[in-house]
Amino acid sequence: EVGYALREHLLPLATIATPNLPEARILAELPEGTADECAEKLLPFCKNLLITGGHGDEEEIHNRLYSRDGQSHTWTCQRLPGSYHGSGCTLASALAGRLALGEQLQSAVKSALDYTWRTLRDAEQLGKGQYVPRRLPLDFCS
């Protein structure tokens, strides 16, 4: 019911949605779906879709941007060791900020992905759990 409500009522209001692949599968009701299959099912509800690939175990992460007009673009980055809490919200907020500044979609996505990767590269493990992204520059925190 939640996936249906998000897909039918919330996605049409968004400029872009940023689910990871497991979330996209739930929204698309495709438990084993690929990013391409999920995008095909979800794009009628959303203008743009960035499906992130960090939840796999491949050495390289593939983040895929799909647009309703048929355009798509893939960015890859090196998988970092460890498990992270806050990577999705870091990406979504960085992307929202870049778009609010007037940056074009594809450039804003790349900027947000690059920023998020750096926050994860510099992340801290505050206890024995997941790493937390370092959202402030290292020299600012010193």
Side-chain angles (χ1 to χ4, degrees):
E1 290 180 23
V2 172
Y4 173 83
L6 287 170
R7 185 181 62 243
E8 301 288 325
H9 300 292
L10 192 57
L11 287 183
L13 302 174
T15 299
I16 186 167
T18 60
N20 58 46
L21 183 55
E23 293 166 341
R25 287 174 172 157
I26 291 168
L27 289 171
E29 298 177 332
L30 296 171
E32 301 298 320
T34 65
D36 289 347
E37 292 167 338
C38 292
E40 185 178 337
K41 185 151 183 195
L42 294 173
L43 280 173
F45 301 98
C46 186
K47 295 175 196 168
N48 302 287
L49 189 63
L50 176 62
I51 300 179
T52 59
H55 282 77
D57 56 3
E58 302 83 19
E59 273 187 48
E60 225 175 33
I61 294 173
H62 297 266
N63 299 298
R64 296 172 171 92
L65 173 65
Y66 301 91
S67 296
R68 194 180 287 166
D69 65 8
Q71 293 185 44
S72 66
H73 191 83
T74 300
W75 290 271
T76 58
C77 63
Q78 170 192 349
R79 177 174 300 284
L80 296 167
S83 176
Y84 302 86
H85 180 81
S87 57
C89 57
T90 300
L91 174 63
S93 59
L95 178 53
R98 300 309 302 182
L99 292 171
L101 289 170
E103 195 169 337
Q104 294 298 310
L105 181 66
Q106 199 168 6
S107 174
V109 168
K110 180 172 181 1
S111 295
L113 287 168
D114 289 346
Y115 169 77
T116 301
W117 189 87
R118 289 191 311 272
T119 69
L120 299 179
R121 176 198 64 198
D122 299 336
E124 299 176 280
Q125 190 175 27
L126 303 175
K128 294 184 180 184
Q130 295 179 312
Y131 287 85
V132 177
R134 182 187 289 269
R135 295 182 183 104
L136 294 174
L138 287 174
D139 57 355
F140 183 81
C141 298
S142 301

